[in-house]
Amino acid sequence: MDFRKTSKWIIALALALLPAGGLLAAPGLPAVSIQPGADGDTYTLTLQALALMTGLALLPSALMMMTAFTRIVISLAILRMALGTQQTPSNQILIGLALFLTLFVMQPVFSKVYDEAVAPYMDDKITATQALENGKKPLMDFMLNQTRETDLALFLNLSGTDQLDSPEEVPFSVLVPSFITSELKTAFQIGFLLFIPFLIIDLVVASVLMSMGMMMLSPMMISLPFKLMLFVLVDGWSLILGTLAGSFYTA
């Protein structure tokens, strides 16, 4: 495998998700340099390899904060709480499900990043700085479409930014916290709607048990089978996952 080509692809993807600067302005810089010495060749890592490792370390944070992952994983966690199934599905299953659903939702965005930034950079047609700018635009368009105007106005006011003429002029440092705040609001709204039918079942079961004088019997033990039956009968997983995925598409 060509290490140079592989490292350039990863660097371009990392720059698309983490626009931190233009350290790699010139493509083609070798990741490992070889210097002859008295006792043999000496291998040293260049600035490109350092930037590559730094970008890979920060990629998980970018995946969680700048994609659909936050809304999906919080909604699934609240769903598990509403069902009352404790640790079923487990955290690993929920995170894995949220991760692959995020990749499904973000596929159009990642395709644009690859076509406009990664592929030209790998072919040495543009510099890393140009790849950064080209790859940042599809991601910013996605976040702008999902961000509430009130949240965006809040952080623009806090940053002291003047009135902008178009959404494309929103600074990236303002867009990211606005997007995260908006996603948290949306996730909790979805969680509230998910809780309502299961809460009604819990209230009905608790009222019946109290009217029968069965104070010592936990209502959760009785309501859990009914909530699971309701969830299965309405094809809950397909309904919720399809709704979550569809909530990110805008007309």
Side-chain angles (χ1 to χ4, degrees):
M1 179 181 295
D2 191 341
F3 178 76
R4 177 184 168 190
K5 288 291 186 181
T6 304
S7 63
K8 287 165 64 177
W9 189 93
I10 299 177
I11 291 171
L13 181 59
L15 289 174
L17 290 177
L18 297 170
L23 292 177
L24 307 174
L29 186 65
V32 179
S33 62
I34 304 175
Q35 299 177 353
D39 299 330
D41 294 337
T42 302
Y43 295 86
T44 58
L45 293 177
T46 63
L47 189 61
Q48 185 185 31
L50 178 62
L52 170 64
M53 291 184 290
T54 303
L56 290 177
L58 296 177
L59 273 178
S61 298
L63 175 65
M64 290 187 294
M65 297 290 101
M66 297 164 58
T67 64
F69 183 83
T70 300
R71 182 191 305 186
I72 295 173
V73 74
I74 292 178
S75 300
L76 293 178
I78 294 178
L79 171 64
R80 185 176 65 180
M81 293 175 57
L83 285 171
T85 53
Q86 304 301 325
Q87 294 299 317
T88 303
S90 63
N91 291 332
Q92 293 85 348
I93 294 177
L94 286 185
I95 293 176
L97 180 59
L99 177 61
F100 282 99
L101 188 59
T102 299
L103 294 177
F104 172 79
V105 171
M106 299 296 297
Q107 182 181 0
V109 179
F110 290 155
S111 297
K112 288 184 179 180
V113 172
Y114 181 84
D115 294 337
E116 299 176 6
V118 178
Y121 179 68
M122 290 175 61
D123 296 334
D124 291 339
K125 295 181 179 179
I126 58 176
T127 64
T129 303
Q130 293 172 329
L132 166 65
E133 294 299 325
N134 295 344
K136 184 172 65 174
K137 188 178 184 305
L139 193 60
M140 291 187 64
D141 291 341
F142 170 80
M143 290 191 290
L144 279 172
N145 289 332
Q146 306 301 325
T147 303
R148 291 177 172 84
E149 293 183 2
T150 54
D151 297 325
L152 192 57
L154 169 64
F155 284 95
L156 284 173
N157 184 38
L158 292 175
S159 64
T161 305
D162 297 333
Q163 187 69 27
L164 302 178
D165 297 331
S166 63
E168 289 75 15
E169 297 180 4
V170 176
F172 198 82
S173 59
V174 173
L175 178 58
V176 172
S178 304
F179 171 75
I180 296 172
T181 304
S182 185
E183 286 295 282
L184 289 174
K185 289 182 180 179
T186 303
F188 276 87
Q189 289 176 352
I190 295 175
F192 171 76
L193 296 177
L194 291 175
F195 243 106
I196 291 179
F198 303 112
L199 180 61
I200 293 176
I201 294 177
D202 287 334
L203 290 175
V204 171
V205 171
S207 300
V208 172
L209 291 178
M210 184 172 295
S211 63
M212 296 175 62
M214 304 175 68
M215 305 293 184
M216 303 303 294
L217 183 60
S218 173
M220 292 296 297
M221 294 181 59
I222 306 300
S223 63
L224 179 58
F226 291 99
K227 290 190 288 187
L228 292 177
M229 180 180 65
L230 172 65
F231 192 70
V232 172
L233 289 178
V234 299
D235 197 10
W237 286 114
S238 298
L239 182 62
I240 290 174
L241 295 181
T243 303
L244 283 174
S247 66
F248 291 95
Y249 292 95
T250 56

